[in-house]
Amino acid sequence: MQNYNLAILRGDGIGSEIISEAIKVLDAVSVLSNYEINYNEHCIGGSAVDNYGEPLPRETIDGVLQNDAILMGAIGGPKWEKLEKAKRPESGLLKLREILGAYINIRPVKVFDALIDASPLKKEIITGVDMVIVRELTGGIYFGQPREKTVDKAYNTMVYTREEIKRIAIAGFELARNRNKKICSVDKANVLEVSELWREVVEEVANNYEDVSLSHMYVDNAAMQLVRDPKSFDVILTSNLFGDILSDEAGMVSGSIGLLPSSSRGDGIGLYEPIHGSAPDIADQGIANPIATILSAAMLLKESFKRDDCSKKIISAVSKTLEEGYRTKDIAMFNAKEVVSTEEMGSIIAGHISE
Ligand code: IPM
Ligand code: MN
């Protein structure tokens, strides 16, 4: 019997509730398969600040690195917003991504047929949307030096090296080659030098992928096209900040940001987390949507444990549950048969796996 070690980082806000449901679903899949998952919990974000005085304690770093992958809930909340930057929950997550060398952030955006009406966009616009945002995750303005804030002036640096652009471009082209062979690189090359280099390097990489068609788009236009005609995208390749912004926008294409999973990979083990935040306003009410985290667990099974069969089981269980009309509150306005709690949603999905 194969054994996997999985680090669990619940984080803050709704993090703990949604992680419990993902574990429920992972357990339902593993009893049907010839492997076992050992869960090892560690602290990150605001809860780590409260318990250890920092958002990514040494114990957590050493602890997670002993595992085959990491599943995370979400971090952050008003309680920690006023702390100095290094102590804020977000710094813990950014540091973790950096330590893992997780420069490839994959954010698939697929519209479930049952939820076509849940998007604020028209049915005709979103039917059949199936794209992936490939976001560079350990560089750009998030990490660029120098950076400083004084009383009268503050600045950040958007910087990319040729090597950083090349490796994320290769990841994007490889993915596109295995999909619909279309990649759109998003930048702001009409204004930014860093984008000029981005474009140049992406074009060089494209020479090795003649089967993939490449286009370039300025980020402002991309933001518009994403709601005007999201079906026109297959793979979007972009930098850290632009990818952050466009993926929240893409969340509304799918109906709710509570539906979108992500994987972050690079040189080390993979980190899987929903793209949404910790939603402190709805924490502990049992109304959060666990689907983005459950789908992140599905990505984990496929990418880190190479169990595509199990991953597919989760995705079909989620589809089935939505087709039956079960909805958490965020997606309940449209064709809901029954509005269910976070826990019920997890149990129904897990139940479909065991059938
Ligand atoms: C995300 C989040 C993070 C980011 C925050 C929490 C640091 O918004 O994963 O999209 O900006 O990358
Ligand atoms: Mn974000």
Side-chain angles (χ1 to χ4, degrees):
M1 165 109 69
Q2 175 91 37
N3 261 286
Y4 295 110
N5 291 315
L6 179 57
I8 296 290
L9 302 172
R10 291 177 185 265
D12 311 314
I14 59 170
S16 185
E17 306 161 58
I18 55 182
I19 282 286
S20 295
E21 301 319 306
I23 291 178
K24 200 186 269 177
V25 172
L26 279 173
D27 283 341
V29 192
S30 27
V31 296
L32 302 177
S33 316
N34 54 343
Y35 67 84
E36 221 168 77
I37 301 177
N38 311 311
Y39 303 99
N40 303 299
E41 300 224 7
H42 297 280
C43 230
I44 192 171
S47 63
V49 173
D50 292 349
N51 292 315
Y52 296 85
E54 47 184 337
L56 187 68
R58 192 74 242 172
E59 286 87 331
T60 297
I61 301 173
D62 294 341
V64 296
L65 293 176
Q66 308 297 315
N67 293 271
D68 301 305
I70 307 170
L71 182 64
M72 201 188 89
I75 48 105
K79 185 175 172 198
W80 307 282
E81 253 161 35
K82 293 264 153 28
L83 296 175
E84 56 170 299
K85 213 181 96 236
K87 293 248 146 112
R88 289 205 289 266
E90 290 76 8
S91 303
L93 175 57
L94 295 179
K95 197 168 151 201
L96 177 62
R97 290 172 177 172
E98 196 181 18
I99 290 170
L100 297 173
Y103 63 93
I104 311 167
N105 184 219
I106 307 273
R107 301 187 157 187
V109 183
K110 221 173 164 169
V111 180
F112 285 99
D113 288 340
L115 289 181
I116 290 288
D117 293 318
S119 170
L121 299 180
K122 288 198 188 93
K123 215 184 187 142
E124 312 83 84
I125 291 181
I126 59 158
T127 305
V129 165
D130 180 4
M131 75 176 111
V132 178
I133 297 176
V134 177
R135 169 189 178 196
E136 198 291 326
L137 201 63
T138 54
I141 198 166
Y142 272 55
F143 292 90
Q145 295 290 347
R147 59 194 297 163
E148 191 182 18
K149 176 168 170 274
T150 64
V151 176
D152 300 309
K153 188 172 144 190
Y155 54 86
N156 290 90
T157 304
M158 192 185 269
V159 53
Y160 272 113
T161 62
R162 175 172 285 277
E163 200 39 51
E164 284 174 314
I165 302 167
K166 190 174 167 192
R167 64 182 188 175
I168 190 67
I170 290 172
F173 276 94
E174 286 292 326
L175 188 73
R177 173 169 272 177
N178 292 306
R179 292 177 43 96
N180 296 319
K181 302 188 170 30
K182 250 172 72 180
I183 191 165
C184 176
S185 172
V186 172
D187 62 36
K188 188 69 186 171
N190 51 345
V191 177
L192 305 174
E193 283 79 0
V194 61
S195 288
E196 277 180 46
L197 182 66
W198 180 279
R199 240 177 221 224
E200 260 170 55
V201 177
V202 168
E203 277 176 10
E204 282 167 25
V205 171
N207 290 331
N208 297 323
Y209 295 86
E210 284 182 349
D211 50 328
V212 177
S213 85
L214 165 70
S215 61
H216 299 279
M217 203 179 273
Y218 300 138
V219 62
D220 47 353
N221 184 24
M224 178 178 73
Q225 299 304 334
L226 206 50
V227 286
R228 198 189 69 88
D229 188 15
K231 274 199 288 278
S232 63
F233 294 105
D234 176 20
V235 173
I236 291 181
L237 169 67
T238 194
S239 59
N240 206 341
L241 178 64
F242 298 162
D244 180 46
I245 299 168
L246 294 178
S247 57
D248 267 37
E249 189 187 359
M252 287 329 288
V253 173
S254 78
S256 166
I257 195 161
L259 297 166
L260 298 194
S262 83
S263 79
S264 307
R265 288 175 303 134
D267 317 320
I269 57 172
L271 165 68
Y272 300 82
E273 50 174 322
I275 78 155
H276 61 69
S278 62
D281 52 319
I282 60 159
D284 303 319
Q285 297 175 35
I287 58 173
N289 188 343
I291 291 180
T293 315
I294 290 169
L295 293 174
S296 300
M299 288 184 85
L300 186 155
L301 287 174
K302 179 175 176 188
E303 294 179 21
S304 283
F305 297 172
K306 308 291 173 217
R307 296 299 305 243
D308 196 23
D309 53 328
C310 301
S311 176
K312 287 201 173 104
K313 278 187 191 140
I314 296 185
I315 298 166
S316 15
V318 170
S319 294
K320 185 159 185 216
T321 304
L322 293 172
E323 271 152 31
E324 288 168 342
Y326 296 105
R327 303 280 187 270
T328 42
K329 211 175 154 197
D330 56 317
I331 45 176
M333 340 39 143
F334 306 96
N335 62 22
K337 189 190 96 194
E338 200 178 328
V339 181
V340 296
S341 68
T342 309
E343 231 191 299
E344 288 164 330
M345 184 56 103
S347 299
I348 296 165
I349 294 170
H352 284 326
I353 284 170
S354 317
E355 271 160 18

